[in-house]
Each structure stands twice: as C-alpha cells, then as structure tokens.
Amino acid sequence: MSFAVLGAGVCGLSTALEVQNKYPNSKVSLIAEKFGRDTTSDVAAGIFRPGPSFSGPNETVTRKWMNDSYAYWDKLRLREDASLSGVTQLSAYVFSSTDPSIVRNHFLEGLLPLYRPCTEEELSICPGDWKYGSFFTTVLTECRLWQSWAQRKFEQNNGKVVQKQITKLTEFNGKKYDAVFNCTGLGAQKLCNDVKVVPIRGQIIKVRAPWVKTAFYADYDTYILPGFGGIVTLGGTRSYESYNMKIDKYDSLSIRERCEALVPSLAKATVVREAVGLRPYRSSVRVEHELLKDSFGQPLRVIHNYGHGGYGVTTSPGTAAYAVHLFGEMHRSKL
C-alpha cells in the first residue's frame, strides 16, 4: 500500500512511524513545507503533562490516547539509545497559592507511577506563599532530539521525505495513495477551512542551568523544565489567537522574573536561546476519517490528526495509533 503523511512536526512524524509499524511493506511519503527546527514542535518543552481540559471525541478515547502515549514515551525512555531519542524521566512539583484544583490532574493521577500531594515541608521548597501542591514523576521529550531521531528512523525504514507546500487535500490522487494522513497542525485551519483551529502563542527561554534537576510549575503559567545537557526551559505565555512570531521583550522579562522568583538560582543562568511557537489549538482534537474526491473524481481517504494545542508531544503517539486504526476500519469496510 501507499500512504502520504502531511506535516513533519511531532504528530506527523509519530503518525508516519506508526504507519510503517502497522504496514511494514508499505510506501510512506512524509510531505511538509517545514521540517526540524522550523516546526512548532521544536519549541515544545515536551513534558508529559496534559492539561485537564484536553479533549478528544469522548472520555474513553481521550484516556486511551493518554495511556498509549505514556506507554510509548516510557518505552523509549528505557531503551539504550534513550539519550539519542531525547526521552528521560523527570520529577516535578506543581504549586499554587490560589486553588487546590490547579495542582490536580485527573489524567495523570491514575497513570503515572507517582502522583501525590505535597507535604507541608515540600510546600516551602520554593519561595512563595504556597498553599497547595503535588509531586509527580513523568517523562520529558526533548523534541529537537526526538524529531531528528524519528526522521532518521523513518528514512531508514525506506520512508520518503518530500518538502512541499500543500494547499488542497484534493490534489492527492486517490488511486496512488490508499490514504492521506493530515497532521498539518495550525495549517489545517486553511487546508480544511476549519475555523475551530486557532493559535495559542507560546514564548520560552532556554537557559544553561545544570544544577536544576527537578521541574517546577506554579501559578500564572510559570514552569521550569530541565532537559538534556544542562539546558532548562523557562516559560511561559499562553496568548489566545495571537499570530505574533516575534520575541516579545516584555514576555521575556516576565518569564525570567516569575521563574527566578520560584527558583532564585536561575538568576545566574545564561540564556541559550529564546523561541516562539504557535500551538495549534482546537476545542476537541480532530482525529477522524473523511472520504473525499480527488481532482479526478476518484475516492480519496483522509484521516485527520490535528488540533493538539500545547499537548502534541504529550499525546501524539496515542492519536497516531488511533488515526492508523481508523484507516484500518475504513480499509476493512471498503470505504
């Protein structure tokens, strides 16, 4: 069989690898305008911590996405080449001075190996009037490393990489491709005329702080996430429907001020880089199949997989598996 996967961010790469896994003798083309460091995924902090409001079509499917994704990342973490794929285990605290619900996460509490309330002593680890807190152990994926690893693996499996801008799904030939997987993220806004897809702008700062070994979250979208090589991600911002891709100096000042208030030793950390990304948000992540007609009037199977917002790294292995499963259902039913 022959497949096309559109988009080379974490969702597109996850889907392309899953197609190769399920259909090892197939021909798979990964088609995108941007790759690697030009993708939104390159900016992602990559911690497995979905937002409580993250939603698929229903609770059962959403839970399955979470479980399958965590199993994928945790399995990669245990491989000998885990450092090459950019996956590691990480412990984290989340603090709040305003509401106990902020430190709870119903997706994680029954899934991670450890997720518990903080002790009174732990609430004083960081400066601040923290009233509520949780401690948990999860996984973190350095997306810059993982994307390079994933694309190499895809090409080693005889996958074909094509750099091309796609403007219409119907430009694909239904006779040539058994299915087209649409993993275009924010690009689906125009490609599918989907007004439900909107950007949520995020800005982060990467600093060199090898002494920080634990992740911290706090009120006002403040987070500190240690990764590989002593590099720590500081964040963040969450600007709804903002298309601004420029570094905002006021956001930078705010991020540094909030993070240094939480972990004062970060004041001596040197900046490695700053970055902005537009998270492709949709109120309900779209993973569903659609039967279209190509420009010749022939049937064209399309499986959509987009709208993950800021949780593409967290959930993409699960949604990829679900998308490939949906193709199998279409194929068996002869649609």
Side-chain angles (χ1 to χ4, degrees), residues 95-117:
F95 298 125
S96 177
S97 59
T98 57
D99 195 302
S101 65
I102 294 174
V103 304
R104 301 289 301 274
N105 190 307
H106 65 287
F107 287 125
L108 298 182
E109 289 177 343
L111 177 59
L112 297 184
L114 178 63
Y115 198 107
R116 60 166 175 79

Side-chain angles (χ1 to χ4, degrees), residues 141-282:
T141 303
E142 178 59 59
C143 223
R144 178 168 286 189
L145 294 175
W146 182 84
Q147 286 193 118
S148 296
W149 174 87
Q151 187 168 328
R152 285 196 305 271
K153 184 177 180 182
F154 172 75
E155 294 182 89
Q156 288 166 1
N157 292 337
N158 297 315
K160 183 180 179 181
V161 174
V162 180
Q163 187 166 21
K164 180 182 178 181
Q165 183 181 19
I166 303 300
T167 57
K168 293 181 180 179
L169 289 171
T170 52
E171 71 182 72
F172 289 93
N173 188 325
K175 286 189 175 181
K176 179 179 179 180
Y177 294 106
D178 290 273
V180 173
F181 291 87
N182 174 26
C183 309
T184 54
L186 191 60
Q189 185 188 66
K190 292 182 178 179
L191 188 64
C192 302
N193 193 29
D194 190 342
V195 297
K196 293 183 179 179
V197 182
V198 296
I200 296 182
R201 179 184 179 276
Q203 182 169 319
I204 55 94
I205 303 173
K206 298 275 189 178
V207 300
R208 191 172 303 281
W211 60 88
V212 178
K213 304 295 185 183
T214 304
F216 295 94
Y217 281 88
D219 293 331
Y220 313 115
D221 208 28
T222 302
Y223 53 85
I224 298 164
L225 305 174
F228 286 79
I231 305 301
V232 179
T233 302
L234 309 182
T237 63
R238 200 173 294 268
S239 305
Y240 186 75
E241 286 195 285
S242 171
Y243 290 84
N244 178 20
M245 285 295 294
K246 295 181 179 179
I247 302 294
D248 186 293
K249 66 179 181 180
Y250 299 106
D251 285 339
S252 298
L253 289 170
S254 173
I255 291 169
R256 289 299 297 255
E257 181 179 353
R258 285 180 280 130
C259 291
E260 290 171 15
L262 190 63
V263 179
S265 65
L266 286 170
K268 62 183 180 181
T270 56
V271 175
V272 175
R273 69 183 176 105
E274 297 185 73
V276 171
L278 303 182
R279 307 173 180 101
Y281 173 76
R282 197 173 186 271

